[in-house]
Amino acid sequence: MAEFSNQDDDPRKSERPSSLRSFRHRNYRLFYPFGIVSNIGTWVQRVAQDWLVLQLTHSGTALGLVTALQFLPVIFFSLHGGALADRVDKRLVLIITNIGGGLSALTLGLLVVTNNVQVWHVYALALSLGLFASIDAPVRQSFAVELVGREDLPNAVSLNSASFNGARLIGPAISGLMINALGTGPSFIVNGISFIGVVFALMAIRTKDLYRKPKLSKRDQSVREGFRYVRSHPDLLAVIWMIGIMSICGLNFQITMALMAKNQFGRGAGAFGLLGSCVAIGSLSGALVSARLGRKRSPSFVVKGGLVFGVVTFIAALMPTYVTFAMMLPLCGFSAIVTLIAASSIIQTGSTPEVHGRLMGIYMLVYLGGTPIGSPLIGWIGEVAGPRWSLLFGGGVTALAALLIGGLNSRRLARSARTGGTPDDELDWQDHGLGNGV
């Protein structure tokens, strides 16, 4: 199998533009297009699921409940999914999670097209899909380094984000057309089928070309050791704190945009959808720009990105009209995705391969797990004080947190910026007694 050091001497590195260099790896070229199809299917189902719940219940509370059920497993299982990634074959885990996710989507689709669906079916299958996704997410994130190696990992993370955000633009439109023409059932079936391609790609991957490291002994594979590793690296801890605060306070666009569109500007569902597209345009642009940044990102970059995102969000809250508010949203999406991509890259490249899975489990916990924590708070502020205050609060707290994190870690962050955000983790890993069996 390939080793991480091999790619530094790879003569093919300059054959492609820097923004596409991950495609020189055969396994990544195989996996990427099927990932795009799966991402589109995910957004197709997400829109159809919300619409189906409203059709069945006519209740906003029910809509919030199904969303909470789908995200709830992240809080309980993402850490264990990350630990699993460090313990067993990631490719095998991904095959199982994609089969499970596909069966969940297909089951719901068949219930709908046969007119047997009830709202509790939607709840149960949303929870099932969320369970598989909570394990899949940290494993898939940590699997990227095995596809392309550490040198090309930041580029792969950016391209993966571009895939996700491109699907975010395409998927809802496809789902809307399908719902109008055929109802919600086919949308779930399409998503179920999209998992088949991912399973095929995973089975066709050449394991001898994967960039793998030997596994740790069992005593070194616990979730606790992952937290211990983060605590022993303040640079990584600063990144985790920044993303956690962004997630809880700032990354609640679906709620804040809905409040601004309906309550502040008196617009309808179409105008709300347009605001979502504005954010997605900025996110996609940010992902494409990030693909060319390479290893220029550092923990300091993440903290500064959090500050910029907080300030831009705060300014957006002050925009007087719907049009000016919409014009600010691409900047919000751009600054958010550039910061998130940098953070994800640093968590993986700033650590030893043996802990990638557990660190991505911690990262996904604070990133996705912040949604069910922050959403009720942001919604309550918008309802009590007004929509603008929900944005002012989210942007203001995020910006202040960035200043505080940057101030408390100024020397360490400045040093990491000079070294490219890659501390000598191999030495630290051994010093903490976690390197046995490597």
Side-chain angles (χ1 to χ4, degrees), residues 32-44 98 136 140 163 167 190-191 193-198:
Y32 189 80
F34 290 105
I36 293 177
V37 174
S38 181
N39 284 331
I40 292 174
T42 297
W43 282 103
V44 167
N98 278 274
D136 181 274
R140 185 186 295 252
S163 165
V190 165
N191 186 38
I193 294 173
S194 74
F195 285 96
I196 297 175
V198 178

Side-chain angles (χ1 to χ4, degrees), residues 79-80 82-84 86-87 216-229 354-355 357-359 362 429 434:
L79 291 176
H80 299 286
L84 192 66
D86 291 330
R87 190 172 296 147
L216 290 174
S217 61
K218 288 186 178 181
R219 71 180 185 87
D220 296 323
Q221 294 174 339
S222 68
V223 172
R224 177 174 54 84
E225 297 294 1
F227 279 105
R228 180 181 174 185
Y229 187 89
E354 293 81 8
V355 289
R358 279 166 288 179
L359 295 196
I362 295 171
W429 187 246
L434 306 177

Side-chain angles (χ1 to χ4, degrees), residues 262-284:
K262 185 176 185 297
N263 297 346
Q264 185 66 40
F265 300 118
R267 301 296 184 101
F272 167 51
L274 180 59
L275 294 181
S277 297
C278 290
V279 174
I281 289 170
S283 298
L284 179 59

Side-chain angles (χ1 to χ4, degrees), residues 153-169:
L153 178 62
N155 177 253
V157 172
S158 299
L159 292 174
N160 292 343
S161 182
S163 165
F164 179 80
N165 285 284
R168 187 179 180 181
L169 287 172

Side-chain angles (χ1 to χ4, degrees), residues 43-62:
W43 282 103
V44 167
Q45 168 150 344
R46 187 168 298 183
V47 171
Q49 181 175 277
D50 290 348
W51 195 258
L52 175 62
V53 170
L54 289 176
Q55 284 181 327
L56 294 173
T57 67
H58 306 285
S59 169
T61 302

Side-chain angles (χ1 to χ4, degrees), residues 74-94:
V74 173
I75 298 176
F76 296 102
F77 296 106
S78 63
L79 291 176
H80 299 286
L84 192 66
D86 291 330
R87 190 172 296 147
V88 301
D89 185 346
K90 297 180 182 66
R91 186 176 69 97
L92 178 59
V93 174
L94 291 174

